[in-house]
Amino acid sequence: NELLSDKLHCKLGRNNSCDNKMMIIYCIILLVTLLCCNSSSWAFTSSSSSMPMKSTTTSTCLWSGRAGLGQSLLDWALDSPLWKYVLVPQARQKMVDTAASNGIPWDECKKWIQNEMKNDITETMILLDEHTEIPSYYQKPFHAYPDGNLCWEAACEAEIASSAVGARNFPDYGKQGETAFRDAFSSCLQEELGAHVPEGALIIDLGCSTGLSTRRLGEQYPEASRIIGFDLSPYFVKVAQRLLELAPIHSILEESGGSWVNSVKADNRLEFRVGAAESTGLPENSVDVVNLQFVAHELPINATLAILREAHRILKPSTGQLWFCEMDFETPGYAAQRANPLLFSLIRSTEPYLDEYADHANDIRAELKRLFSHTKMGAATGRHFSVVAVKESDDKDDISTHTFEDLRWDSRGNYAVDDTHLKVWENKK
């Protein structure tokens, strides 16, 4: 009700860019959906998987798929012009408003990177090489961009939007929220789950976007000899390469001021490649660490499982580690959000595979346990998990000896980390 009165009513009354009739239709659909939900057409059931689960029944159940009139109406809305004219602008504006409320200069940073990329942006050449094929799942609209990740606008705004996401997850830190957000994953990986980088290591960063995660790996692990970021978007890779060429870059969020939303340090160990995470082309048993961060929720389940298998293939036996960080829809915050069709529709409108990712959480855990000799899973934030999975010593090991240790819940059955995330309608604490 608060969201309807505060946001949608405001749009109906004052925003000429939205079609008022479409907005009214959308509100009616959502109200009908809510009634359908109250009649229990959206249900969740306990998972039949043998994977570790929290022992209490209030938040442990996995959402096993939703059906009925409510789901049908939302599916129709997300496949209709409502997606383009109502949901997407609303979701995108939420990120822009969050940035502005937290002192993140979205437009200024965007203009700077566009100016630095102007020669690439004006070129009409095909960015993909002849050996790279873009799978159909990657050609869908993502993150309020009709062309998804295959466009310059998405590439130029990726790190700016990421800063807004960080501010939403750790609002007490304001414009430095993303640093706190990513530090939480690093802390969980290293201090709780046993992440380790040997001297001279090769680290692979799958789904590296414009290189922020890859650059952080370089800063955190000077002992690594080489760090390669893979991304399917040639636009993202071009921006990642250009930022590295421009280094050092000072962050505009620092007291001393700068040009870009993030600082960038020169590092000749870093390399960025256009390529699919499920088929890197790297030799088997050759990699020390594979980093897969905030990627799976943007993929159909078959692609996610294929990436886990590829990570296993290229990792070194006995010591090779997969670091896997993602959204956790078993947390109270995300579970409640997903249960509310009004709130979740705004998120799902720009994340076409979010439902599929949430529905298949057990399948992902089962595949991790099947592939890796020992897997540990911990709570990184109040809504996200981290995983460290270690490859077995040889291909003939007994799968029955594989272990999966779930550390996300405390002794009382509560999620181990408090939820600090903003409410959907909030931009700043």
Side-chain angles (χ1 to χ4, degrees):
N1 289 337
E2 183 173 352
L3 187 66
L4 275 172
S5 60
D6 183 37
K7 293 294 180 185
L8 299 184
H9 178 72
C10 174
K11 291 287 184 183
L12 282 168
R14 295 194 296 271
N15 192 338
N16 294 328
S17 65
C18 291
D19 187 291
N20 288 349
K21 293 181 180 178
M22 298 296 280
M23 284 294 295
I24 293 171
I25 293 172
Y26 175 59
C27 291
I28 293 172
I29 288 173
L30 289 174
L31 289 173
V32 173
T33 303
L34 287 169
L35 292 175
C36 294
C37 292
N38 289 335
S39 65
S40 73
S41 65
W42 288 31
F44 62 87
T45 61
S46 298
S47 170
S48 60
S49 170
S50 61
M51 296 306 299
M53 295 288 292
K54 178 183 167 188
S55 59
T56 60
T57 58
T58 54
S59 300
T60 61
C61 299
L62 282 176
W63 296 91
S64 61
R66 296 170 293 184
L69 179 59
Q71 181 65 50
S72 298
L73 285 169
L74 271 186
D75 287 342
W76 176 84
L78 293 173
D79 288 332
S80 74
L82 289 172
W83 180 87
K84 180 177 180 181
Y85 295 112
V86 178
L87 298 177
V88 171
Q90 181 75 6
R92 174 184 170 78
Q93 192 60 44
K94 174 56 62 178
M95 287 294 100
V96 175
D97 290 347
T98 298
S101 297
N102 287 277
I104 301 168
W106 187 295
D107 291 337
E108 186 176 344
C109 290
K110 182 179 178 180
K111 288 177 182 177
W112 178 83
I113 190 62
Q114 286 179 327
N115 182 64
E116 295 295 337
M117 297 294 301
K118 60 185 178 184
N119 292 334
D120 294 291
I121 292 174
T122 56
E123 288 178 357
T124 58
M125 67 176 186
I126 298 175
L127 292 179
L128 293 173
D129 63 52
E130 59 183 0
H131 303 294
T132 302
E133 294 184 5
I134 301 296
S136 58
Y137 72 77
Y138 199 75
Q139 299 178 42
K140 284 181 173 285
F142 275 96
H143 299 159
Y145 304 105
D147 295 321
N149 294 334
L150 298 172
C151 66
W152 285 117
E153 186 175 20
C156 290
E157 291 186 336
E159 293 191 25
I160 311 171
S162 184
S163 290
V165 170
R168 296 193 64 77
N169 278 276
F170 283 84
D172 287 342
Y173 291 81
K175 62 184 179 182
Q176 300 298 336
E178 185 178 26
T179 299
F181 180 57
R182 292 182 181 267
D183 284 349
F185 290 93
S186 298
S187 177
C188 183
L189 288 169
Q190 296 169 6
E191 299 173 14
E192 184 176 12
L193 305 180
H196 173 68
V197 175
E199 193 70 33
L202 169 60
I203 301 176
I204 301 301
D205 188 21
L206 298 179
C208 67
S209 184
T210 57
L212 175 58
S213 57
T214 318
R215 300 194 304 266
R216 279 181 58 92
L217 289 169
E219 293 178 16
Q220 291 177 312
Y221 300 103
E223 61 269 36
S225 64
R226 195 177 179 197
I227 305 169
I228 305 174
F230 281 83
D231 202 277
L232 257 177
S233 171
Y235 302 90
F236 282 23
V237 170
K238 278 281 188 180
V239 171
Q241 292 169 339
R242 182 62 178 146
L243 287 171
L244 204 56
E245 291 170 0
L246 293 168
I249 302 172
H250 297 290
S251 172
I252 201 169
L253 304 182
E254 297 172 356
E255 290 186 8
S256 57
S259 305
W260 183 228
V261 68
N262 295 304
S263 61
V264 181
K265 297 179 180 178
D267 192 336
N268 58 14
R269 299 170 302 152
L270 305 188
E271 178 186 344
F272 296 101
R273 298 181 184 178
V274 178
E278 55 266 56
S279 55
T280 62
L282 296 171
E284 64 181 23
N285 304 327
S286 63
V287 175
D288 295 284
V289 174
V290 171
N291 185 58
L292 182 66
Q293 194 170 59
F294 317 138
V295 176
H297 72 275
E298 297 182 357
L299 302 173
I301 184 60
N302 288 340
T304 296
L305 299 181
I307 290 171
L308 295 181
R309 291 190 286 269
E310 174 69 358
H312 178 268
R313 184 188 71 82
I314 64 177
L315 282 168
K316 293 179 179 178
S318 300
T319 59
Q321 292 186 345
L322 167 67
W323 301 350
F324 180 31
C325 303
E326 257 301 350
M327 303 168 72
D328 190 346
F329 277 96
E330 292 176 35
T331 60
Y334 274 143
Q337 198 172 70
R338 193 173 183 227
N340 187 318
L342 176 59
L343 300 183
F344 194 66
S345 66
L346 295 175
I347 302 169
R348 187 182 161 205
S349 67
T350 64
E351 299 280 2
Y353 300 109
L354 202 56
D355 260 334
E356 186 171 351
Y357 164 75
D359 284 340
H360 289 277
N362 261 4
D363 294 322
I364 293 172
R365 287 200 293 270
E367 187 70 354
L368 287 168
K369 185 177 181 181
R370 184 186 74 83
L371 290 170
F372 295 91
S373 61
H374 184 58
T375 303
K376 293 178 73 174
M377 186 180 204
T381 80
R383 297 193 181 194
H384 301 81
F385 65 75
S386 289
V387 164
V388 171
V390 181
K391 186 174 178 177
E392 71 282 355
S393 58
D394 59 66
D395 293 335
K396 298 180 181 179
D397 75 319
D398 185 356
I399 295 178
S400 66
T401 65
H402 289 189
T403 61
F404 192 107
E405 190 175 359
D406 194 339
L407 307 173
R408 292 175 296 161
W409 316 99
D410 65 22
S411 59
R412 294 178 295 179
N414 298 315
Y415 206 71
V417 178
D418 292 335
D419 186 7
T420 60
H421 200 287
L422 289 174
K423 299 296 187 291
V424 172
W425 55 84
E426 294 178 322
N427 296 324
K428 182 181 175 64
K429 264 199 173 181

